Amino acid sequence: MELYVDTANIGHIRHAASLGFISGVTTNPSLLAKEDPSVDVKQRILEIHELVGGHLSVEVISTDTKGMLNEAEEIISWFPQATIKIPMIPDGLAATKELSRQNIPTNVTLVFSTTQALAANNAGASYVSFFMGRLDDIASGSAQVLEEACEIWDIHGFESLIIAASIRHPAHVVDSALAGADIATVPYKVLMQCLKHPLTDAGLQAFLDDYNKMQAEKKKLNG
Ligand code: E4P
């Protein structure tokens, strides 16, 4: 399962990308606004693209098909490898169909059910972003719905890729991998939590302490 970082924070993206295990970035209007409401969106997106080079999903804000297609055209003019993130609404499906006809990759976002996921796939989405955390917030078990979606994908051999999104904690990353999601897009803080283990820290400290003890002994022996 590939891992993307779900943020628009340049410092976080730079650090995550430097660690070598991230292959893409997803953004959305809320993530961009959280960083700096006055940010020039095009400039920020291009900065992110330069840093990571891999997958970058950029979300449209129009809610009608024509508006979404115009925005997609503009985003593609910034950098042709962009994946256009489209909301899971009827007009979004029509826009997805048209962009797929033009061979422009799309990421249908705000997907919460298997029927929505099926519609997005059939409209030609390249990626289907299934939101876990927000589903758990309303006491609907996200892992079970994601498992169902992945099973349906396997049964039918669908080619679109499932992104587990709205990840809130490392257990969501594990659930996504177990369900068979192709990708999990993970907030920076959760990515860092995934790397941490107290036994790693304690083990490293013990190795360093023992090495230093050995060096001190050697120094003593050599006078
Ligand atoms: C997906 O691409 C979205 O950007 C994101 O995962 C939303 O997550 P949230 O529910 O934490 O806002």
Side-chain angles (χ1 to χ4, degrees):
M1 182 177 75
E2 283 186 58
L3 293 170
Y4 293 171
V5 59
D6 192 28
T7 180
N9 181 294
I10 287 293
H12 289 168
I13 293 170
R14 183 176 290 118
H15 182 233
S18 76
L19 301 180
F21 68 100
I22 292 302
S23 47
V25 178
T26 52
T27 58
N28 64 39
S30 305
L31 290 171
L32 282 159
K34 197 166 116 188
E35 290 313 313
D36 175 5
S38 68
V39 76
D40 178 278
V41 173
K42 175 182 172 184
Q43 195 188 316
R44 176 52 55 96
I45 293 296
L46 288 177
E47 264 178 278
I48 298 174
H49 172 56
E50 263 184 28
L51 274 177
V52 175
H55 175 103
L56 175 51
S57 281
V58 186
E59 189 156 344
V60 298
I61 44 145
S62 300
T63 52
D64 63 296
T65 305
K66 195 170 175 323
M68 291 182 202
L69 293 175
N70 289 341
E71 278 188 68
E73 196 181 330
E74 194 190 339
I75 294 166
I76 292 293
S77 77
W78 301 344
F79 70 109
Q81 306 92 325
T83 294
I84 309 300
K85 212 167 166 194
I86 308 261
M88 173 56 228
I89 55 177
D91 272 54
L93 292 176
T96 300
K97 183 77 191 167
E98 175 54 23
L99 291 171
S100 130
R101 197 189 60 77
Q102 297 176 30
N103 283 323
I104 295 173
T106 51
N107 173 357
V108 175
T109 188
L110 291 167
V111 170
F112 293 90
S113 71
T114 43
T115 49
Q116 287 182 319
L118 188 58
N121 172 77
N122 290 7
S126 323
Y127 302 88
V128 177
S129 279
F130 178 82
F131 277 44
M132 301 191 78
R134 294 190 196 191
L135 208 49
D136 289 335
D137 287 346
I138 57 159
S140 283
S142 65
Q144 198 193 331
V145 188
L146 182 61
E147 269 166 36
E148 264 173 30
C150 290
E151 200 180 329
I152 291 169
W153 256 237
D154 283 348
I155 292 169
H156 295 279
F158 291 155
E159 282 181 9
S160 56
L161 299 179
I162 295 185
I163 302 183
S166 187
I167 298 279
R168 299 278 165 79
H169 43 66
H172 274 151
V173 178
V174 177
D175 287 345
S176 311
L178 280 174
D182 299 284
I183 299 146
T185 188
V186 186
Y188 175 80
K189 186 178 151 221
V190 179
L191 274 180
M192 293 306 121
Q193 285 174 337
C194 288
L195 305 185
K196 270 289 205 191
H197 198 289
L199 291 178
T200 304
D201 296 340
L204 178 61
Q205 194 55 54
F207 289 155
L208 295 178
D209 290 347
D210 289 341
Y211 177 81
N212 288 334
K213 250 187 256 162
M214 198 170 66
Q215 292 304 103
E217 285 298 321
K218 264 191 202 156
K219 232 185 196 172
K220 244 195 266 165
L221 285 175
N222 293 339

